[in-house]
Amino acid sequence: MVSSEELDKPSVDIALLASMLRAFTTTVVIGYRPFFDYMRSIHSEISTPRNPDNYGNRSTHRDIPIYPRWLNVDTIAEFSEMFTTALVQRYAGYFDQVRILPLEGGFINHFFCDIVRAESTCRYFQLHPALHANKSPPARTNCEGGVAKECVDE
């Protein structure tokens, strides 16, 4: 099993990856979350001090405007390259089995029970449902700190 969020970057050499995995039966599993939840998550990652790389050092966290000002046609185009639909198109060109699993609603259970077919792990997660670790934080009502419906039109 190979797993990395880095595999969503457009710079990944998928042809090389596919050639290295040719001897194995490979299923590519891509997590899905609604697009604007994904964009909010990206914004949160690049605008906090805990992430010094900030997706390729595009800027420092202090340079990132609040979400409603950051979200525009250019950022949507830039980060769409790493969204589910673009990933499926890129990986399907090299792998026969590409699956999409929603990050909400039992991702871990579906992954271990239906794709990996790891019976013991499947049973464990059926008895102890996994908490959703990547859930986006709730929208804030403060226009300076996050997205709120009354802030989006600013």
Side-chain angles (χ1 to χ4, degrees), residues 81-140:
E81 295 177 350
M82 298 185 305
F83 187 63
T84 307
T85 50
L87 293 174
V88 169
Q89 289 174 346
R90 288 201 308 266
Y91 279 89
Y94 297 94
F95 294 94
D96 293 330
Q97 298 178 46
V98 178
R99 299 275 307 268
I100 301 168
L101 291 182
L103 292 177
E104 301 282 339
F107 175 89
I108 297 291
N109 291 24
H110 290 297
F111 180 76
F112 285 111
C113 298
D114 302 332
I115 294 174
V116 178
R117 295 195 174 130
E119 293 179 16
S120 296
T121 306
C122 175
R123 265 193 309 277
Y124 176 84
F125 281 115
Q126 286 174 335
L127 296 172
H128 307 93
L131 298 175
H132 184 51
N134 272 340
K135 191 162 183 79
S136 296
R140 300 180 197 157

Side-chain angles (χ1 to χ4, degrees), residues 4-135:
S4 173
E5 287 188 9
E6 296 297 313
L7 293 172
D8 67 356
K9 306 281 189 286
S11 60
V12 170
D13 187 342
I14 299 172
L16 177 61
L17 180 63
S19 70
M20 293 170 58
L21 297 173
R22 188 168 311 144
F24 303 96
T25 301
T26 303
T27 300
V28 175
V29 179
I30 299 171
Y32 167 80
R33 73 170 62 172
F35 184 76
F36 288 102
D37 289 351
Y38 159 76
M39 291 299 289
R40 188 171 61 231
S41 174
I42 293 289
H43 179 266
S44 177
E45 287 183 37
I46 66 175
S47 64
T48 57
R50 72 177 188 276
N51 186 0
D53 289 334
N54 287 326
Y55 283 87
N57 292 318
R58 288 189 179 95
S59 60
T60 66
H61 68 278
R62 290 176 287 282
D63 298 333
I64 306 295
I66 63 171
Y67 183 74
R69 291 190 182 106
W70 173 82
L71 185 65
N72 59 48
V73 172
D74 294 330
T75 55
I76 288 173
E78 177 180 3
F79 290 102
S80 291
E81 295 177 350
M82 298 185 305
F83 187 63
T84 307
T85 50
L87 293 174
V88 169
Q89 289 174 346
R90 288 201 308 266
Y91 279 89
Y94 297 94
F95 294 94
D96 293 330
Q97 298 178 46
V98 178
R99 299 275 307 268
I100 301 168
L101 291 182
L103 292 177
E104 301 282 339
F107 175 89
I108 297 291
N109 291 24
H110 290 297
F111 180 76
F112 285 111
C113 298
D114 302 332
I115 294 174
V116 178
R117 295 195 174 130
E119 293 179 16
S120 296
T121 306
C122 175
R123 265 193 309 277
Y124 176 84
F125 281 115
Q126 286 174 335
L127 296 172
H128 307 93
L131 298 175
H132 184 51
N134 272 340
K135 191 162 183 79

